Amino acid sequence: MPIFTAVRRRSALVRLLALGTLLVLSCTGAVAGPAPVRIGLDAEFGLDNSTSAQAVELGLRTAIGEINRAGGVLGGRPLELVTKDHRSLPARGIRNIEEFARMPDLVAVFGGRFSPVVIEELPTLKATRTLFMAPWSSADMIVDNGMQPNYVYRLSLRDSLAMPKLLETARKRGLRRVGLLLTNTSWGRSNLAAAEEYVAASKDLRIVQTAWYNWRDQTLVARYESLRRAGAQAVVLVANDDEAAVLVREVAALPKAQHLPILSHWGVTGGEFTKQAGPALQQVDFSVIQTFSFFRADKQQLARFMKSLAAVSKIRRIEDIQGPVGVAHSYDLMHILAKAIDLAGSTDRKAVRDALEKLKVHRGLVKTYAPPFTPRRHEALGERELLIARYRPDGTLVPTDDR
């Protein structure tokens, strides 16, 4: 056989093999596309009765679906969500952050509800220069962390805003002697500092006593009674769903004359609080602070969100959205982060961090951010977004007129 004929045949065979390989890859869906840009979520998925991690994830997946359908980021790269469970344990959270920090093309990590976990993660975030987005946790020191530059950005409530709002709501209702019932954690201590600072500047409001409880305590009624005997006209509660449900059931069992209004921080909305509290919830004067309500959302933005939500879940009514602030905050914060990635033109975390401070305007579900962040302000929300809500008999959280 002539040499040139053999060469042609070998060349044809190589082309056929290459074509066959492409066909196989195509049939198996293995054709390489643009590399994904990864987003981490480190939250309390495995915690009993908690729905907060799932709420943050739902908001993220809804936003990511919209962004990817519009072409992704950086000229066509899809966003990909990677989740890890810290089960509300700081040691697990620190390990998760270390693993996320080593992940290629991971731009940022979103956190969950528990401030004490995030606070313990701060040194690791600083050491690894991992960009951290906080859509729920509220302790002041999460953002006021001393980092230079600061890699933490928050679209959430802040304790130094929450406590004044709760205390001012009590004052407007004529309840000027207040008892504090706080969790014995860094979150509780953050709220105590905020409350004391606010009361020190108030002429007609007084904290009569502060009572502390521990996570997973099975009874809180003795602490509640101590506050009542000290002269409290209302109780300001800092708790998550489990302990708050215990308190509500115990207060409901007391004689009606011993029922005090309870003004609660928003940790109760991150779990199955209404289910655990049961019918007792409607027998107690119970209010909770929020930063957003789907019942007051811009109609155009809400319609867009609900359409996108239907693409990633079976939810069709706003009444069925659990942990509404977690869903809405993470949805808006993901869109803001995507804009920063495009502005940075890179997945480099420092470049994206810097870009977050340069964005001009984002019209979101919670509000229009103009701008979302600045070099001096890593908080996207302020006191204008705060509202007070109550639970309807069907368990739906709705805003009240206590603005």
Side-chain angles (χ1 to χ4, degrees):
M1 180 186 298
I3 293 176
F4 70 87
T5 301
V7 170
R8 279 207 307 268
R9 286 182 176 177
R10 283 197 298 270
S11 178
L13 181 59
V14 169
R15 288 197 297 272
L16 284 171
L17 287 172
L19 178 60
T21 302
L22 286 173
L23 286 171
V24 170
L25 289 173
S26 178
C27 290
T28 59
V31 175
V37 174
R38 294 184 174 91
I39 305 298
L41 171 56
D42 171 55
E44 53 286 339
F45 286 97
L47 185 65
D48 291 344
N49 300 318
S50 180
T51 60
S52 49
Q54 292 80 359
V56 172
E57 181 182 15
L58 183 60
L60 289 174
R61 292 199 183 279
T62 304
I64 287 171
E66 288 182 353
I67 295 162
N68 285 347
R69 285 191 295 274
V73 295
L74 300 176
R77 294 178 64 179
L79 292 169
E80 177 183 278
L81 183 64
V82 182
T83 64
K84 291 184 182 292
D85 180 11
H86 63 52
R87 298 181 64 87
S88 79
L89 301 174
R92 283 178 176 264
I94 291 169
R95 184 186 66 191
N96 290 345
I97 296 299
E98 290 171 343
E99 292 175 357
F100 276 132
R102 294 192 294 267
M103 196 172 291
D105 281 332
L106 184 127
V107 173
V109 177
F110 282 71
R113 172 172 42 135
F114 288 88
S115 289
V117 175
V118 180
I119 289 169
E120 292 296 324
E121 292 173 342
L122 287 172
T124 306
L125 292 169
K126 180 179 180 180
T128 59
R129 296 194 174 187
T130 299
L131 186 56
F132 188 83
M133 316 300 287
W136 197 315
S137 47
S138 61
D140 284 25
M141 70 175 297
I142 290 173
V143 173
D144 302 346
N145 52 48
M147 290 187 198
Q148 293 294 335
N150 191 351
Y151 273 76
V152 179
Y153 291 80
R154 177 159 52 194
L155 197 162
S156 181
L157 184 59
R158 179 182 169 96
D159 289 339
S160 57
L161 295 179
M163 267 295 163
K165 178 66 175 180
L166 291 169
L167 292 166
E168 180 62 15
T169 300
R171 190 191 67 78
K172 287 181 178 179
R173 293 177 59 182
L175 308 170
R176 292 180 169 81
R177 298 192 306 277
V178 176
L180 304 182
L181 184 51
L182 310 177
T183 175
N184 190 18
T185 65
S186 53
W187 181 40
R189 291 185 285 277
S190 174
N191 278 279
L192 176 61
E196 289 179 337
E197 182 177 355
Y198 180 78
V199 169
S202 175
K203 296 180 180 179
D204 59 351
L205 195 67
R206 184 163 66 94
I207 298 172
V208 298
Q209 190 178 96
T210 299
W212 299 90
Y213 70 88
N214 296 313
W215 190 44
R216 298 294 193 185
D217 275 352
Q218 298 301 304
T219 178
L220 280 74
V221 70
R223 297 171 178 84
Y224 170 87
E225 288 282 41
S226 176
L227 297 176
R228 189 179 64 81
R229 288 194 298 270
Q233 297 173 307
V235 171
V236 172
L237 175 68
V238 175
N240 288 308
D241 47 297
D242 291 335
E243 292 78 21
V246 168
L247 178 64
V248 165
R249 293 195 303 268
E250 291 182 320
V251 171
L254 296 173
K256 189 72 174 177
Q258 297 177 18
H259 290 195
L260 299 178
I262 300 173
L263 295 151
S264 176
H265 210 307
W266 70 353
V268 302
T269 67
E272 297 182 342
F273 169 63
T274 57
K275 180 180 178 181
Q276 294 179 83
L281 184 55
Q282 297 305 312
Q283 302 172 37
V284 176
D285 182 348
F286 190 94
S287 304
V288 59
I289 192 169
Q290 295 281 273
T291 52
F292 171 78
S293 171
F294 282 99
F295 291 96
R296 288 182 176 170
D298 176 85
K299 291 183 179 180
Q300 183 178 349
Q301 292 295 321
L302 179 60
R304 175 193 177 193
F305 170 83
M306 293 302 293
K307 181 179 179 181
S308 298
L309 181 65
V312 298
S313 76
K314 296 181 180 179
I315 297 173
R316 300 295 182 270
R317 306 186 313 148
I318 60 178
E319 290 87 348
D320 297 326
I321 299 173
Q322 291 185 301
V325 292
V327 176
H329 290 178
S330 56
Y331 172 82
D332 276 3
L333 194 52
M334 184 64 250
H335 273 291
I336 291 168
L337 177 61
K339 286 186 173 181
I341 293 170
D342 279 335
L343 181 61
S346 166
T347 59
D348 179 77
R349 293 169 196 162
K350 184 182 185 304
V352 176
R353 191 214 77 88
D354 294 345
L356 280 165
E357 296 178 348
K358 299 174 183 176
L359 295 175
K360 300 302 182 183
V361 178
H362 174 69
R363 188 183 178 201
L365 181 62
V366 176
K367 71 170 191 175
T368 295
Y369 307 85
F373 303 107
T374 71
R376 292 181 175 272
R377 176 178 55 78
H378 282 203
E379 303 275 8
L381 301 183
E383 62 182 18
R384 294 182 61 183
E385 283 72 60
L386 304 184
L387 59 93
I388 300 296
R390 292 177 182 267
Y391 287 97
R392 294 191 320 210
D394 66 355
T396 302
L397 191 62
V398 295
T400 70
D401 292 331
D402 295 322
R403 294 297 295 182

